[in-house]
Amino acid sequence: MCGIVGYVGEGEKKEILLSGLRELEYRGYDSAGIALMDQAGIHHFKAAGKLSYLEAKTAEFTSASFGIGIGHTRWATHGKPNEINAHPHLGKYSFVVHNGIIENYQELKGRLQKKGVSFLSQTDTEVIVHLFEYYNEIHTDPFCAFEKTIGDLQGAYAILLITKASPNHIFFAKEGSPLILGTDAQNHVYIGSSDAALIGKAHTVTYLEDGQYGRVYKGALEIFVQGKQILPPMVPLQRNTLYAQKEGYRFFMEKEIYEQSSVLSNAMLGRLREKDIFFEEITPSFLSHISHITFCACGTSYHAALSAAYLFERLAQVSTSVEIASEFRYKKPYIQEGTLFIVISQSGETADTLEALKRAKRSTAKTLAICNVDNSSIVRTADTTLLTRAGIEKGVASTKAFATQMLVLWMLALEMGKETMTSTEYAENIRALRKIPTATQVSTETHERIQRLSKRYLHGHGFFFIGRDIFYPLALEGALKLKEISYLHAEGYPSGEMKHGPIALVDSELFTICLMPKTTLYEKNRSNVEELSARDATICAITPEPFSLADDLIYTKHTEHPMCEFFEMMVVLQLLSLEIAIRLGNDVDMPRNLAKSVTVE
Ligand code: M6R
């Protein structure tokens, strides 16, 4: 949700900032802007819409002398996504960029307006720069004014501020939104809200903690906590950027669907042994005395949690509950003794999930993160983490991250269930795990079939995705994928639930995507689909079996294990959404109104 970058050095500042923003654009693309300061003064540029508009606007501008710069790509929270509301926000002689939400901005704005300050934008962010300049007039020490400013802010923020009053510094502060500082061998300083913006530039980095703030200037990072300077722990930054290229695919989402087979193999490496599972991250005592598991997540990760709950109850015979993080954090939850609290997050920065995790940490629960981003806030907060190893996921619609979450959760369920399962059942699961990389390989034939079929699903008044057991959360995920990128209305339901209300909507213009695995409740599902067909629903069945009532059939392979069917159907659903959205002419990787990483609540 929004991306911020900063730079201090004598490189081509505009290019460095823009290239950092390019890496972060998928996190928010309503508008973008940069502000740079060097001996020639301050320059700033803003543009509404995607980064390409800002690139066009700055095409003639060069900035290759020593200086500092900040940049931002925005996902609008306060105020329309137009140029005025784009960051950086300007005071009289300072600029600010900000991720997060300043909750008390109305009150601060009112205070400043009474003192004669006028505001240009509708954003919460603008208050920061005016407040800073107000304090700077009183204190005349810019850094002290910055400290006073952040002391007045309530909410979540990662802030970068530059000011003519301190021309060689970037001031920064972090509370609840990620911020990373890095340096290279030439003592240039790079700042980003994610390490993706620093890869290939900084050599060593420090991941700031909440409450940290400070200033950077050439070759130096000064970090403070409550007025005391601290020495930041610097760690090497991975330098490979190759994995973030489209490599001939039309969209990152498509590439990420195709990558699933190999990232799933990666996620198993060293963890799937010949006859059992081994997680080096988890000690035996960590999994002992667990009487209940609470899963907590948002969006697609929540769907992984829902499916996982079936697996853990069935395989490990442990009671489970599944919580949507935004609900959990405010419900004064009762967390019983012996709870293992598992948060699931691709980004590791989802604000609601992070807060839910912090809430769980205040109880007696053990906490475990299933996460794709090492060093993310969630990883740093949880007691233990299982990384999902999906590699960077750029498509806003999550695909390979979901696949690897499911795989890791399934393996963990097996690890916890090794005492409760029969040896035959355990061995069957181990065998099935080995088949998943093959089950998720995209066959040209299936992809072409889905591409052809997709033209029949561009209209109508909505979609139902239905399934039973673990295929019910998969149906929810199929519906979410479709609505995110096609903007068509889609809902997921348990097949058996249709007759309790939703069936009233059924007619020939209601498209029903039916997950009909052969291994799991096939006959029950079939009856439910027959009920829909009798009411003239348009049926698209995803199944290994012939089914005469289907208007369209997408065949999956016959297999013995439900999880093999699960993973294969997952790929079919992803491709179906992708192809429908492409036919509708949508930007699949950056769908409207969304952003990759939701760092505000
Ligand atoms: O990074 P997280 O897994 O915590 O993100 C949670 C959701 O915001 C995310 O899954 C969202 O629903 C995706 N856009 C789904 O495609």
Side-chain angles (χ1 to χ4, degrees):
M1 196 129 292
C2 305
I4 58 183
V5 293
Y7 173 69
V8 181
E10 47 283 289
E12 167 50 78
K13 293 182 287 302
K14 176 195 81 176
E15 281 310 324
I16 291 167
L17 295 174
L18 288 179
S19 84
L21 291 178
R22 239 171 264 134
E23 294 300 326
L24 301 181
E25 190 186 11
Y26 67 116
R27 288 161 182 258
Y29 32 85
D30 289 333
S31 62
I34 53 175
L36 310 99
M37 187 159 42
D38 53 23
Q39 291 187 337
I42 290 198
H43 317 269
H44 79 284
F45 304 88
K46 304 202 229 185
K50 296 202 170 134
L51 188 63
S52 52
Y53 292 100
L54 182 68
E55 287 170 337
K57 217 168 178 176
T58 54
E60 304 297 314
F61 177 76
T62 54
S63 56
S65 60
F66 176 79
I68 62 178
I70 56 177
H72 188 268
T73 172
R74 176 172 188 245
W75 185 83
T77 56
H78 294 72
K80 290 202 165 64
N82 57 25
E83 193 170 318
I84 288 192
N85 290 330
H87 302 212
H89 287 283
L90 167 69
K92 287 190 220 128
Y93 51 86
S94 319
F95 284 89
V96 71
V97 294
H98 159 231
N99 280 358
I101 291 181
I102 305 301
E103 285 169 357
N104 60 337
Y105 84 101
Q106 291 287 18
E107 176 206 324
L108 296 171
K109 189 171 175 175
R111 250 167 61 190
L112 290 163
Q113 279 170 327
K114 278 195 198 128
K115 297 187 189 305
V117 177
S118 47
F119 283 74
L120 278 177
S121 77
Q122 301 153 309
T123 65
D124 53 335
T125 302
E126 194 183 347
V127 79
I128 303 169
V129 71
H130 294 305
L131 192 61
F132 166 76
E133 291 188 351
Y134 166 72
Y135 280 130
N136 194 45
E137 302 303 315
I138 300 172
H139 292 279
T140 61
D141 172 359
F143 190 60
C144 182
F146 184 69
E147 282 181 306
K148 287 287 289 176
T149 304
I150 54 176
D152 282 1
L153 303 180
Q154 285 165 17
Y157 50 79
I159 294 169
L160 300 183
L161 184 142
I162 60 174
T163 175
K164 276 186 184 165
S166 187
N168 296 323
H169 292 107
I170 299 177
F171 296 157
F172 62 85
K174 178 210 180 314
E175 182 66 49
S177 283
L179 198 60
I180 298 148
L181 311 180
T183 53
D184 66 9
Q186 289 77 46
N187 282 333
H188 301 148
V189 178
Y190 301 87
I191 309 176
S193 51
S194 152
D195 51 13
L198 275 59
I199 287 172
K201 301 182 182 101
H203 295 174
T204 54
V205 295
T206 184
Y207 295 84
L208 295 182
E209 300 292 341
D210 284 350
Q212 295 185 343
Y213 65 93
R215 58 188 161 192
V216 297
Y217 48 98
K218 190 162 185 237
L221 318 175
E222 283 182 358
I223 303 180
F224 296 83
V225 180
Q226 292 179 339
K228 288 213 176 75
Q229 192 168 353
I230 58 156
L231 259 189
M234 300 298 290
V235 293
L237 181 68
Q238 185 192 346
R239 302 188 65 193
N240 176 9
T241 49
L242 283 178
Y243 54 80
Q245 310 302 318
K246 264 192 233 164
E247 291 163 14
Y249 291 98
R250 293 167 293 174
F251 290 97
F252 277 111
M253 181 184 176
E254 185 178 32
K255 176 188 166 228
E256 287 157 7
I257 293 171
Y258 273 76
E259 271 174 2
Q260 290 180 118
S261 170
S262 73
V263 296
L264 285 163
S265 299
N266 258 340
M268 283 189 252
L269 269 185
R271 292 168 169 173
L272 175 59
R273 301 196 294 202
E274 197 186 335
K275 291 197 175 139
D276 64 357
I277 306 287
F278 170 72
F279 286 113
E280 65 176 355
E281 303 87 337
I282 292 184
T283 57
S285 66
F286 187 76
L287 293 183
S288 65
H289 307 294
I290 304 288
S291 53
H292 182 79
I293 300 180
T294 299
F295 297 96
C296 189
C298 303
T300 287
S301 301
Y302 171 70
H303 297 153
L306 287 174
S307 301
Y310 283 86
L311 297 178
F312 278 77
E313 298 224 349
R314 185 166 298 147
L315 304 176
Q317 293 180 18
V318 55
S319 80
T320 63
S321 51
V322 186
E323 303 276 356
I324 289 187
S326 56
E327 288 299 311
F328 179 83
R329 60 183 287 195
Y330 291 114
K331 80 172 198 188
K332 299 212 172 128
Y334 169 67
I335 303 177
Q336 67 191 57
E337 191 105 356
T339 294
L340 172 61
F341 193 84
I342 302 185
V343 285
I344 307 168
S345 174
Q346 186 287 126
S347 60
E349 299 297 349
T350 301
D352 287 322
T353 311
L354 178 61
E355 285 310 312
L357 171 61
K358 287 181 186 163
R359 170 69 193 78
K361 283 208 72 165
R362 293 198 293 274
S363 73
T364 54
K366 294 174 183 171
T367 59
L368 170 68
I370 308 287
C371 189
N372 194 33
V373 182
D374 200 3
N375 282 312
S376 58
S377 304
I378 285 176
V379 168
R380 284 180 283 128
T381 307
D383 295 334
T384 305
T385 296
L386 292 176
L387 289 173
T388 50
R389 306 180 186 163
I392 192 164
E393 187 180 65
K394 282 217 147 180
V396 164
S398 185
T399 52
K400 62 176 181 168
F402 174 72
T404 51
Q405 286 168 351
M406 279 311 306
L407 186 93
V408 170
L409 285 160
W410 176 21
M411 288 198 289
L412 185 63
L414 289 172
E415 174 60 11
M416 285 189 74
K418 63 186 177 201
E419 308 298 336
T420 47
M421 296 168 73
T422 64
S423 54
T424 315
E425 201 186 352
Y426 189 80
E428 278 166 9
N429 274 275
I430 297 287
R431 269 200 303 280
L433 270 167
R434 286 192 211 295
K435 292 184 182 153
I436 300 306
T438 312
T440 46
Q441 259 161 19
V442 181
S443 89
T444 314
E445 197 191 333
T446 307
H447 195 166
E448 282 175 3
R449 168 141 183 78
I450 292 171
Q451 210 162 12
R452 267 198 317 281
L453 276 185
S454 60
K455 63 175 170 290
R456 303 227 272 267
Y457 294 94
L458 309 178
H459 61 290
H461 59 76
F463 285 75
F464 279 167
F465 286 68
I466 60 169
R468 279 174 176 263
D469 203 273
I470 49 172
F471 297 87
Y472 156 53
L474 185 60
L476 291 175
E477 173 58 10
L480 178 66
K481 266 329 50 109
L482 184 71
K483 61 188 143 194
E484 281 189 294
I485 59 174
S486 73
Y487 320 142
L488 296 170
H489 183 240
E491 297 302 332
Y493 281 104
S495 309
E497 189 64 14
M498 299 302 287
K499 60 174 95 53
H500 299 289
I503 203 167
L505 295 176
V506 165
D507 62 22
S508 61
E509 293 295 287
L510 193 276
F511 302 137
T512 310
I513 313 295
C514 309
L515 301 180
M516 300 173 68
K518 187 64 181 150
T519 53
T520 311
L521 299 168
Y522 179 76
E523 296 304 333
K524 299 276 174 211
N525 242 321
R526 195 187 152 101
S527 312
N528 297 138
V529 180
E530 282 169 3
E531 289 155 11
L532 296 173
S533 169
R535 275 124 190 125
D536 211 20
T538 297
I539 308 281
C540 174
I542 304 174
T543 178
E545 288 287 293
F547 182 52
S548 60
L549 296 178
D551 296 276
D552 283 318
L553 260 171
I554 303 172
Y555 279 113
T556 48
K557 288 185 215 66
H558 274 106
T559 146
E560 275 161 23
H561 202 279
M563 291 307 285
C564 294
E565 293 205 281
F566 180 97
F567 277 97
E568 197 181 342
M569 290 187 180
M570 172 199 77
V571 175
V572 169
L573 292 175
Q574 294 165 343
L575 290 171
L576 187 63
S577 301
L578 174 81
E579 292 305 335
I580 291 174
I582 291 177
R583 277 190 189 270
L584 290 169
N586 298 344
D587 184 340
V588 168
D589 286 335
M590 296 194 222
R592 72 181 184 204
N593 303 340
L594 297 179
K596 184 68 184 164
S597 168
V598 185
T599 51
V600 293
E601 68 170 297

PDB file of all heavy atoms in Angstrom, residues 281-293:
ATOM      1  N   GLU A 281      13.134 -25.007  11.210  1.00  0.00           N
ATOM      2  CA  GLU A 281      12.750 -23.801  11.951  1.00  0.00           C
ATOM      3  C   GLU A 281      11.975 -24.132  13.227  1.00  0.00           C
ATOM      4  O   GLU A 281      11.806 -23.280  14.102  1.00  0.00           O
ATOM      5  CB  GLU A 281      11.852 -22.903  11.087  1.00  0.00           C
ATOM      6  CG  GLU A 281      12.430 -22.450   9.745  1.00  0.00           C
ATOM      7  CD  GLU A 281      12.175 -23.431   8.594  1.00  0.00           C
ATOM      8  OE1 GLU A 281      11.947 -24.643   8.855  1.00  0.00           O
ATOM      9  OE2 GLU A 281      12.230 -22.998   7.433  1.00  0.00           O
ATOM     10  N   ILE A 282      11.467 -25.370  13.311  1.00  0.00           N
ATOM     11  CA  ILE A 282      10.559 -25.688  14.421  1.00  0.00           C
ATOM     12  C   ILE A 282      11.151 -26.762  15.316  1.00  0.00           C
ATOM     13  O   ILE A 282      11.454 -27.861  14.858  1.00  0.00           O
ATOM     14  CB  ILE A 282       9.202 -26.155  13.849  1.00  0.00           C
ATOM     15  CG1 ILE A 282       8.534 -24.959  13.170  1.00  0.00           C
ATOM     16  CG2 ILE A 282       8.309 -26.726  14.933  1.00  0.00           C
ATOM     17  CD1 ILE A 282       7.175 -25.249  12.648  1.00  0.00           C
ATOM     18  N   THR A 283      11.301 -26.408  16.584  1.00  0.00           N
ATOM     19  CA  THR A 283      11.824 -27.402  17.524  1.00  0.00           C
ATOM     20  C   THR A 283      10.666 -28.289  17.993  1.00  0.00           C
ATOM     21  O   THR A 283       9.517 -27.839  18.001  1.00  0.00           O
ATOM     22  CB  THR A 283      12.428 -26.709  18.767  1.00  0.00           C
ATOM     23  OG1 THR A 283      11.385 -25.908  19.345  1.00  0.00           O
ATOM     24  CG2 THR A 283      13.596 -25.828  18.397  1.00  0.00           C
ATOM     25  N   PRO A 284      10.949 -29.520  18.410  1.00  0.00           N
ATOM     26  CA  PRO A 284       9.861 -30.398  18.871  1.00  0.00           C
ATOM     27  C   PRO A 284       9.061 -29.751  19.998  1.00  0.00           C
ATOM     28  O   PRO A 284       7.844 -29.866  20.066  1.00  0.00           O
ATOM     29  CB  PRO A 284      10.588 -31.653  19.351  1.00  0.00           C
ATOM     30  CG  PRO A 284      11.914 -31.612  18.658  1.00  0.00           C
ATOM     31  CD  PRO A 284      12.249 -30.176  18.388  1.00  0.00           C
ATOM     32  N   SER A 285       9.745 -29.032  20.888  1.00  0.00           N
ATOM     33  CA  SER A 285       9.009 -28.455  22.028  1.00  0.00           C
ATOM     34  C   SER A 285       8.026 -27.383  21.554  1.00  0.00           C
ATOM     35  O   SER A 285       6.999 -27.151  22.193  1.00  0.00           O
ATOM     36  CB  SER A 285       9.973 -27.883  23.063  1.00  0.00           C
ATOM     37  OG  SER A 285      10.636 -26.778  22.491  1.00  0.00           O
ATOM     38  N   PHE A 286       8.314 -26.752  20.417  1.00  0.00           N
ATOM     39  CA  PHE A 286       7.404 -25.702  19.937  1.00  0.00           C
ATOM     40  C   PHE A 286       6.026 -26.275  19.629  1.00  0.00           C
ATOM     41  O   PHE A 286       5.001 -25.627  19.843  1.00  0.00           O
ATOM     42  CB  PHE A 286       8.001 -25.031  18.690  1.00  0.00           C
ATOM     43  CG  PHE A 286       7.215 -23.823  18.241  1.00  0.00           C
ATOM     44  CD1 PHE A 286       7.313 -22.617  18.916  1.00  0.00           C
ATOM     45  CD2 PHE A 286       6.363 -23.904  17.151  1.00  0.00           C
ATOM     46  CE1 PHE A 286       6.578 -21.512  18.526  1.00  0.00           C
ATOM     47  CE2 PHE A 286       5.616 -22.807  16.739  1.00  0.00           C
ATOM     48  CZ  PHE A 286       5.726 -21.599  17.432  1.00  0.00           C
ATOM     49  N   LEU A 287       6.003 -27.499  19.121  1.00  0.00           N
ATOM     50  CA  LEU A 287       4.710 -28.091  18.747  1.00  0.00           C
ATOM     51  C   LEU A 287       4.109 -28.956  19.859  1.00  0.00           C
ATOM     52  O   LEU A 287       3.057 -29.551  19.678  1.00  0.00           O
ATOM     53  CB  LEU A 287       4.852 -28.920  17.471  1.00  0.00           C
ATOM     54  CG  LEU A 287       5.165 -28.132  16.190  1.00  0.00           C
ATOM     55  CD1 LEU A 287       5.203 -29.064  14.986  1.00  0.00           C
ATOM     56  CD2 LEU A 287       4.148 -27.017  15.946  1.00  0.00           C
ATOM     57  N   SER A 288       4.772 -28.993  21.015  1.00  0.00           N
ATOM     58  CA  SER A 288       4.209 -29.830  22.091  1.00  0.00           C
ATOM     59  C   SER A 288       3.178 -29.019  22.896  1.00  0.00           C
ATOM     60  O   SER A 288       3.226 -27.783  22.923  1.00  0.00           O
ATOM     61  CB  SER A 288       5.329 -30.333  23.007  1.00  0.00           C
ATOM     62  OG  SER A 288       5.897 -29.231  23.650  1.00  0.00           O
ATOM     63  N   HIS A 289       2.271 -29.739  23.521  1.00  0.00           N
ATOM     64  CA  HIS A 289       1.220 -29.142  24.362  1.00  0.00           C
ATOM     65  C   HIS A 289       0.360 -28.128  23.611  1.00  0.00           C
ATOM     66  O   HIS A 289      -0.018 -27.099  24.154  1.00  0.00           O
ATOM     67  CB  HIS A 289       1.823 -28.478  25.613  1.00  0.00           C
ATOM     68  CG  HIS A 289       2.700 -29.407  26.385  1.00  0.00           C
ATOM     69  ND1 HIS A 289       2.213 -30.525  27.022  1.00  0.00           N
ATOM     70  CD2 HIS A 289       4.038 -29.412  26.582  1.00  0.00           C
ATOM     71  CE1 HIS A 289       3.210 -31.172  27.595  1.00  0.00           C
ATOM     72  NE2 HIS A 289       4.331 -30.526  27.332  1.00  0.00           N
ATOM     73  N   ILE A 290       0.073 -28.418  22.361  1.00  0.00           N
ATOM     74  CA  ILE A 290      -0.836 -27.545  21.601  1.00  0.00           C
ATOM     75  C   ILE A 290      -2.219 -28.201  21.637  1.00  0.00           C
ATOM     76  O   ILE A 290      -2.386 -29.334  21.181  1.00  0.00           O
ATOM     77  CB  ILE A 290      -0.407 -27.419  20.112  1.00  0.00           C
ATOM     78  CG1 ILE A 290       1.024 -26.917  19.983  1.00  0.00           C
ATOM     79  CG2 ILE A 290      -1.395 -26.559  19.328  1.00  0.00           C
ATOM     80  CD1 ILE A 290       1.240 -25.497  20.309  1.00  0.00           C
ATOM     81  N   SER A 291      -3.186 -27.485  22.185  1.00  0.00           N
ATOM     82  CA  SER A 291      -4.535 -28.071  22.229  1.00  0.00           C
ATOM     83  C   SER A 291      -5.482 -27.373  21.259  1.00  0.00           C
ATOM     84  O   SER A 291      -6.600 -27.826  21.035  1.00  0.00           O
ATOM     85  CB  SER A 291      -5.094 -27.994  23.650  1.00  0.00           C
ATOM     86  OG  SER A 291      -4.995 -26.656  24.095  1.00  0.00           O
ATOM     87  N   HIS A 292      -5.056 -26.272  20.705  1.00  0.00           N
ATOM     88  CA  HIS A 292      -5.940 -25.546  19.778  1.00  0.00           C
ATOM     89  C   HIS A 292      -5.065 -24.713  18.833  1.00  0.00           C
ATOM     90  O   HIS A 292      -4.029 -24.198  19.235  1.00  0.00           O
ATOM     91  CB  HIS A 292      -6.865 -24.612  20.573  1.00  0.00           C
ATOM     92  CG  HIS A 292      -7.828 -23.875  19.693  1.00  0.00           C
ATOM     93  ND1 HIS A 292      -8.969 -24.453  19.184  1.00  0.00           N
ATOM     94  CD2 HIS A 292      -7.800 -22.607  19.191  1.00  0.00           C
ATOM     95  CE1 HIS A 292      -9.622 -23.571  18.427  1.00  0.00           C
ATOM     96  NE2 HIS A 292      -8.925 -22.441  18.412  1.00  0.00           N
ATOM     97  N   ILE A 293      -5.526 -24.621  17.593  1.00  0.00           N
ATOM     98  CA  ILE A 293      -4.807 -23.739  16.655  1.00  0.00           C
ATOM     99  C   ILE A 293      -5.764 -22.664  16.178  1.00  0.00           C
ATOM    100  O   ILE A 293      -6.889 -22.955  15.731  1.00  0.00           O
ATOM    101  CB  ILE A 293      -4.285 -24.509  15.425  1.00  0.00           C
ATOM    102  CG1 ILE A 293      -3.325 -25.606  15.855  1.00  0.00           C
ATOM    103  CG2 ILE A 293      -3.583 -23.555  14.460  1.00  0.00           C
ATOM    104  CD1 ILE A 293      -2.750 -26.412  14.712  1.00  0.00           C
TER     105      ILE A 293
END
